[in-house]
Amino acid sequence: AASKLEVFMPAVVEVETGSTARLECSFYIPENGSYTYINWFYVSIDHRNNRVRLCHITVSEILEENTDYKGRLSVGEDKALSISEVTVLDTRTFVCQVGAGSHGEGENSTELRVYTLPGSPLPSPHGGTRCPRLSLPPQIAQCVSRNSFPHPNITWHKNGEKLQPEEKKVKIPTTLTRESSGLYTVSSTLFAHVTREDRNSLFYCTVHYWLQGQSHTVESQRVNVTVFYPAEHVKLQVMPSSALVKEGDDIKLVCEADGNPAPVFSFYKRELEDNWQDLSSLADTNSGVLNLHGVNKSSSGLYRCQTLDLDDMRQMEKDVELVVNYIEGVRVKMEPSSPLQEGDSVRLSCDAHSPVALDYQWRDEKGRKVAEGNQLFLSNLTFETSSNFSCKVIAPSVPGLEQSKQVAVAVQGKPRIVAISSPLYVRQDEVVNLTCKAIAFPRPSVHWNVNGTAHEYVENQHIASNLTVRVNHDLLRAGAMCRVSNALGVSEKHIQLLDQKTPESKGVIIVAIIVCILVVAVLGSVICFLHKKGKIPCGRAGKQDITKPEARKDKIVVEVKSDKLSEEAGLLQGANGEKRSAADQVGQSVVHSP
């Protein structure tokens, strides 16, 4: 067991700014003695290290001294001293002194450390860094950590690798500033030589600080540094690919250099005798793009892009050949070229010029493909086969490159009437349309031999004429004549008009037919009746005449006559004009042999 008074305190207590610091003080008094008093002091930070008493504690009372800490102190039941709302100015040594009468006096101390966590460092990249040309390394970026306690340390990294100061290559000066609040601001600046390979490098700084005996770090955001360097290579290309350029396309000549900043671009085209035409006025000299709209055959040629680095006035250039694919001179030849007649044959030949292989197609005037190849043979021509044919020239290797040429195949001849409205059933005084349609080339004219209102319609080689007339007796009797003529001949056709019976006349005819049928039926009944009575023998051997004796037997003719169809529906009229029954008339129906 200890034989003297002992006081125990932790060596270091660390708290964060704004919190409450608790300083514990425990002691041992021999023979279970009790303390007489306890004094708390702090050691002032000056050259003398004077002690300043904070409070005096006895068994009956606690006496707080009038110091800067008044109002922020409290003493617990275990005699621990608590300081509220600590700041970095409270970073000092505190002493606990215990008095125990005859056992004497003892004391111990604790170092109070107040810390403020550093905020995230703020790196600020330099506006731009040129590749090394001087011996001193240029500034890359600056990193600042504000309001921390105690002061931290700052290190620099590139792409995850720590940078170390290196003579004439890497320099990292650091500035430490103590603010009025007692907190520290640390600023670190990175100077380093860079190359064009560093244009994609990421730089960042790391703040290192200690807390409760352990090291901690805070990393800044990654920043990319703008690196300036001269161009080493120039590339000039046609967009889209030069192999696919055709007449009428809008293209771009794009010039690219690998320097930063981009150089000034100029464009030229080679003319005759190795002269170069300046096209820079048509280009965007900053972005290096030359726009060519609606290119044609004459746009083909050698183009040059020239770059100028304004920093060292260095020039570079690159050439590209532009090939504009085209089709020209499309022509169609017709053999024979003389006017064509019906029944003739003709051969159409198509030809064109292009730097690439060509295919040929033939299409009719409706756009339908009728043949492939550069020749089309048409035989046995008629007016109906007259048409406009087109030769379509296609470049398969250059999508969209095509041209067409039309040719008219006209078959000449005198008119041929292909349709008339004959025969035409009409009624007296009825207004009707007479139609005559013909085909011919050259275009014919249509004439009628009767008066009326005519309307003509023309479609391709066809001409149609509609004549509106009123039917009269002369028209019914003679009909109408359609006459079609051109410079090569005349054709004409007759239109026959037939009288169409009225519905009443048709009814009379039907009634007459029915009456005739009834008369024949009655006559048959009379003959059968006489046969049954034995007055008319049957069989060829017993055939007899029932007429006058002088009548001949080689011809028998039965006649049924009627003056009016309306009187056949009941009784038949006799020879003397008297009406008789059917039986009487049968009895008188004796055929006269000549």
Side-chain angles (χ1 to χ4, degrees), residues 283-297:
D284 185 343
T285 56
N286 293 322
S287 63
V289 176
L290 173 62
N291 291 293
L292 299 177
H293 301 284
V295 295
N296 52 36
K297 177 183 176 182

Side-chain angles (χ1 to χ4, degrees), residues 14 113 210-216:
E14 293 183 332
R113 296 177 182 176
W210 286 87
L211 178 61
Q212 296 180 353
Q214 294 183 344
S215 177
H216 299 268

Side-chain angles (χ1 to χ4, degrees), residues 31-32 36 83 86 117 121 128 147 162 183 221-222 244 313 336 398 497 531 537 594:
E31 301 176 358
N32 294 324
T36 305
I83 305 173
V86 296
L117 293 178
N147 300 324
K162 183 178 179 181
L183 302 178
Q221 294 180 345
R222 272 65 171 165
L244 301 177
M313 305 306 293
V398 185
L497 278 70
H531 172 68

Side-chain angles (χ1 to χ4, degrees), residues 290-441:
L290 173 62
N291 291 293
L292 299 177
H293 301 284
V295 295
N296 52 36
K297 177 183 176 182
S298 63
S299 302
S300 298
L302 186 67
Y303 290 79
R304 172 172 293 175
C305 169
Q306 193 175 82
T307 65
L308 174 63
D309 192 328
L310 297 179
D311 185 56
D312 59 3
M313 305 306 293
R314 180 185 177 188
Q315 285 188 344
M316 300 181 70
E317 59 186 31
K318 191 70 174 179
D319 297 342
V320 67
E321 185 77 24
L322 173 63
V323 177
V324 179
N325 296 289
Y326 61 90
I327 298 175
E328 66 176 6
V330 180
R331 60 187 183 275
V332 178
K333 182 180 180 182
M334 184 167 60
E335 295 177 325
S337 58
S338 58
L340 301 172
Q341 305 293 328
E342 284 197 300
D344 288 351
S345 297
V346 67
R347 185 185 305 275
L348 304 179
S349 300
C350 187
D351 191 20
H353 176 68
S354 176
V356 295
L358 300 176
D359 288 343
Y360 298 86
Q361 292 181 359
W362 293 92
R363 297 180 180 271
D364 61 17
E365 59 187 5
K366 294 184 178 179
R368 297 171 299 191
K369 186 169 69 173
V370 296
E372 292 186 349
N374 69 329
Q375 289 191 349
L376 175 64
F377 184 73
L378 303 172
S379 61
N380 195 22
L381 296 174
T382 64
F383 289 130
E384 287 79 6
T385 56
S386 297
S387 179
N388 290 325
F389 292 88
S390 64
C391 172
K392 186 175 183 181
V393 186
I394 304 171
S397 61
V398 185
L401 180 58
E402 58 183 44
Q403 282 195 21
S404 296
K405 184 75 172 180
Q406 275 197 348
V407 61
V409 178
V411 179
Q412 296 185 2
K414 75 173 187 176
R416 174 158 45 88
I417 298 177
V418 295
I420 59 172
S421 54
S422 179
L424 183 65
Y425 289 91
V426 299
R427 298 189 185 93
Q428 187 76 21
D429 293 330
E430 182 183 12
V431 176
V432 297
N433 287 327
L434 307 182
T435 302
C436 182
K437 185 175 183 182
I439 185 170
F441 185 81

Side-chain angles (χ1 to χ4, degrees), residues 434 448-450 467 475 478-482 493-497:
L434 307 182
W448 296 88
N449 68 336
V450 293
L467 181 68
L475 185 61
M481 184 68 71
C482 169
K493 280 195 176 182
H494 178 260
I495 296 180
Q496 181 183 8
L497 278 70

Side-chain angles (χ1 to χ4, degrees), residues 502-539:
T502 61
E504 292 80 2
S505 299
K506 292 181 179 179
V508 172
I509 294 174
I510 293 173
V511 171
I513 294 173
I514 294 174
V515 170
C516 290
I517 294 173
L518 291 176
V519 170
V520 172
V522 172
L523 182 60
S525 300
V526 171
I527 293 173
C528 289
F529 174 77
L530 296 176
H531 172 68
K532 289 181 180 180
K533 295 295 184 177
K535 296 182 178 181
I536 299 178
C538 287

Side-chain angles (χ1 to χ4, degrees), residues 57-353:
I57 305 171
T58 64
V59 176
S60 58
E61 64 178 349
I62 299 175
L63 177 63
E64 183 177 357
E65 303 291 342
N66 188 16
T67 65
D68 293 339
Y69 285 92
K70 190 174 180 63
R72 292 198 295 143
L73 300 178
S74 62
V75 177
E77 293 181 357
D78 57 353
K79 306 306 181 285
L81 178 66
S82 295
I83 305 173
S84 62
E85 298 180 359
V86 296
T87 68
V88 295
L89 300 178
D90 296 326
T91 300
R92 48 172 51 110
T93 300
F94 290 83
V95 178
C96 176
Q97 184 184 71
V98 179
S102 61
H103 294 287
E105 189 179 71
E107 63 181 35
N108 208 334
S109 63
T110 292
E111 181 184 354
L112 177 60
R113 296 177 182 176
V114 181
Y115 64 88
T116 299
L117 293 178
S120 298
L122 301 174
S124 54
H126 194 261
T129 302
R130 186 165 292 280
C131 287
R133 293 182 181 174
L134 302 176
S135 58
L136 296 177
Q139 179 177 336
I140 302 299
Q142 186 179 49
C143 185
V144 178
S145 176
R146 302 184 184 277
N147 300 324
S148 61
F149 189 88
H151 69 80
N153 295 320
I154 296 178
T155 58
W156 282 95
H157 304 263
K158 181 181 78 171
N159 297 330
E161 180 180 352
K162 183 178 179 181
L163 297 175
Q164 299 290 351
E166 186 175 353
E167 186 178 358
K168 296 184 179 181
K169 290 185 177 181
V170 180
K171 183 180 178 182
I172 308 176
T174 301
T175 301
L176 178 64
T177 303
R178 183 181 177 90
E179 309 292 346
S180 60
S181 62
L183 302 178
Y184 291 97
T185 294
V186 181
S187 175
S188 178
T189 305
L190 173 65
F191 295 86
H193 285 304
V194 292
T195 64
R196 68 174 55 243
E197 286 73 22
D198 290 320
R199 62 186 180 275
N200 296 320
S201 295
L202 295 177
F203 294 85
Y204 63 95
C205 63
T206 301
V207 177
H208 303 264
Y209 63 95
W210 286 87
L211 178 61
Q212 296 180 353
Q214 294 183 344
S215 177
H216 299 268
T217 60
V218 178
E219 293 183 353
S220 70
Q221 294 180 345
R222 272 65 171 165
V223 294
N224 178 255
V225 178
T226 301
V227 181
F228 299 131
Y229 47 88
E232 294 182 352
H233 304 91
V234 176
K235 180 172 65 173
L236 179 61
Q237 58 183 342
V238 179
M239 302 295 290
S241 172
S242 59
L244 301 177
V245 177
K246 65 181 182 299
E247 280 191 316
D249 281 351
D250 295 335
I251 66 168
K252 295 180 180 180
L253 294 181
V254 180
C255 190
E256 297 175 336
D258 59 355
N260 188 37
V264 177
F265 297 92
S266 300
F267 289 89
Y268 304 88
K269 182 187 178 187
R270 187 172 66 182
E271 301 293 341
L272 298 177
E273 299 179 358
D274 206 28
N275 292 324
W276 291 86
Q277 178 187 2
D278 190 354
L279 303 177
S280 300
S281 61
L282 306 177
D284 185 343
T285 56
N286 293 322
S287 63
V289 176
L290 173 62
N291 291 293
L292 299 177
H293 301 284
V295 295
N296 52 36
K297 177 183 176 182
S298 63
S299 302
S300 298
L302 186 67
Y303 290 79
R304 172 172 293 175
C305 169
Q306 193 175 82
T307 65
L308 174 63
D309 192 328
L310 297 179
D311 185 56
D312 59 3
M313 305 306 293
R314 180 185 177 188
Q315 285 188 344
M316 300 181 70
E317 59 186 31
K318 191 70 174 179
D319 297 342
V320 67
E321 185 77 24
L322 173 63
V323 177
V324 179
N325 296 289
Y326 61 90
I327 298 175
E328 66 176 6
V330 180
R331 60 187 183 275
V332 178
K333 182 180 180 182
M334 184 167 60
E335 295 177 325
S337 58
S338 58
L340 301 172
Q341 305 293 328
E342 284 197 300
D344 288 351
S345 297
V346 67
R347 185 185 305 275
L348 304 179
S349 300
C350 187
D351 191 20
H353 176 68

